[in-house]
Amino acid sequence: MDIQKHKPVEDDAWHALKQFTAARIALGRTGHAVPLKELLKFKLAHAHARDAVYARLHVKELTQELQQFNLPVYSLHSKVKDRNEYLLHPDIGRQLNDASVQLLQSRSASFDIVVVLADGLSATAINHHAVPLLQQLIPLLQEAKFSIAITTAQQARVAVGDTIGSLMNAKLSLVLIGERPGLSAADSMGAYLTYNPTVGLTDESRNCISNIRPEGIDYAKAATKIHYLISSSFRLQYSGVTLKDDEQDFLAE
């Protein structure tokens, strides 16, 4: 009986470029198929992405960790009742539930900046990266004499920061949110800042820094860029597409 010989993996012509990216390139071939090792890696990455989408925000643990900053911390929730509703109805995730609205209306203080930790599409990202980023960022903001409050927001979308900022009379909202997981990163965190947050604003009113994680934009670099954008936003009194990233000029001053 003829036994087919094992076919070795044939390297892709782009194999040398793999060192520069986590993207799924140059997987190689075994005959007409993707190598088994790469197929299993794909299935694992897909499983991590699904897990991230359905992960829960660790509110209790985050709240305890946030105490190190000696800042007001509020735990909030959108109008979303469960994860399926969150995924099917994005508009509901942009609105706070009644209890959260009442909580914010009951307080009297106002702040320059409200930082919102929102689960988004990857609570894993916030659970892992939000506090380490804030450890770099908050000292920079405090040195600049900004008053700051922090909230967590479960089942939330980016625009929930407009509602929170408006209710807290904040001059600027900074939303740290879990980004849509991909097959090379299930824990990527984004930062969205909005000057004069008001219900009804759209994305052109915001500035975004994406892919915050050790393998992407690291905490120190992200904190420096966020600090720059916030400082510029307060100086110019606007954010969004008209706020340009001239960070090198800022650092040279």
Side-chain angles (χ1 to χ4, degrees):
M1 180 175 62
D2 292 332
I3 299 178
Q4 186 176 9
K5 293 183 178 180
H6 171 70
K7 294 183 178 180
V9 176
E10 299 174 9
D11 285 343
D12 190 281
W14 287 8
H15 183 76
L17 300 178
K18 287 176 68 70
Q19 62 180 308
F20 301 110
T21 178
R24 309 183 73 80
I25 66 169
L27 302 181
R29 305 289 294 179
T30 299
H32 297 292
V34 174
L36 177 60
K37 180 180 179 181
E38 297 297 338
L39 178 61
L40 294 176
K41 285 183 178 180
F42 175 87
K43 289 181 177 293
L44 180 62
H46 186 262
H48 285 320
R50 286 181 59 86
D51 287 347
V53 168
Y54 286 95
R56 292 181 177 274
L57 201 64
H58 296 166
V59 175
K60 182 177 180 180
E61 292 84 348
L62 285 171
T63 301
Q64 291 175 343
E65 291 184 81
L66 292 170
Q67 298 308 310
Q68 65 186 281
F69 302 117
N70 295 315
L71 296 172
V73 179
Y74 304 89
S75 296
L76 310 174
H77 202 293
S78 76
K79 286 186 174 181
V80 171
K81 296 180 178 63
D82 56 47
R83 200 59 176 170
N84 286 335
E85 184 176 59
Y86 176 87
L87 296 172
L88 291 172
H89 300 283
D91 55 312
I92 304 178
R94 302 183 184 110
Q95 306 170 51
L96 289 178
N97 64 15
D98 292 342
S100 296
V101 171
Q102 292 172 8
L103 173 63
L104 296 184
Q105 288 178 335
S106 67
R107 37 150 304 280
S108 57
S110 59
F111 301 91
D112 294 323
I113 301 168
V114 57
V115 179
V116 181
L117 309 187
D119 44 11
L121 287 168
S122 176
T124 302
I126 301 302
N127 294 335
H128 290 174
H129 306 313
V131 172
L133 172 65
L134 292 178
Q135 288 172 335
Q136 301 277 341
L137 175 61
I138 285 180
L140 297 176
L141 298 177
Q142 290 178 324
E143 185 178 353
K145 307 302 182 184
F146 290 118
S147 59
I148 306 165
I150 305 175
T151 78
T152 59
Q154 297 181 72
Q155 306 286 18
R157 301 278 178 172
V158 171
V160 80
D162 298 336
T163 302
I164 294 171
S166 178
L167 287 170
M168 298 184 74
N169 298 315
K171 296 177 182 176
L172 182 141
S173 67
L174 172 65
V175 178
L176 303 181
I177 192 166
E179 298 182 305
R180 180 182 293 106
L183 294 176
S184 59
D187 63 342
S188 179
M189 184 172 70
Y192 292 79
L193 66 93
T194 308
Y195 188 81
N196 190 23
T198 307
V199 176
L201 293 178
T202 48
D203 286 343
E204 81 278 357
S205 300
R206 320 183 201 288
N207 294 85
C208 173
I209 300 171
S210 186
N211 196 30
I212 301 172
R213 58 193 183 99
E215 300 82 5
I217 300 178
D218 63 43
Y219 306 136
K221 184 174 181 180
T224 299
K225 186 168 288 292
I226 293 170
H227 173 233
Y228 157 73
L229 288 171
I230 287 176
S231 299
S232 297
S233 186
F234 272 86
R235 176 169 53 86
L236 299 170
Q237 298 186 2
Y238 58 74
S239 61
V241 295
T242 52
L243 179 60
K244 305 304 179 184
D245 185 354
D246 300 319
E247 183 181 0
Q248 294 305 316
D249 294 339
F250 171 77
L251 294 175
E253 292 179 359

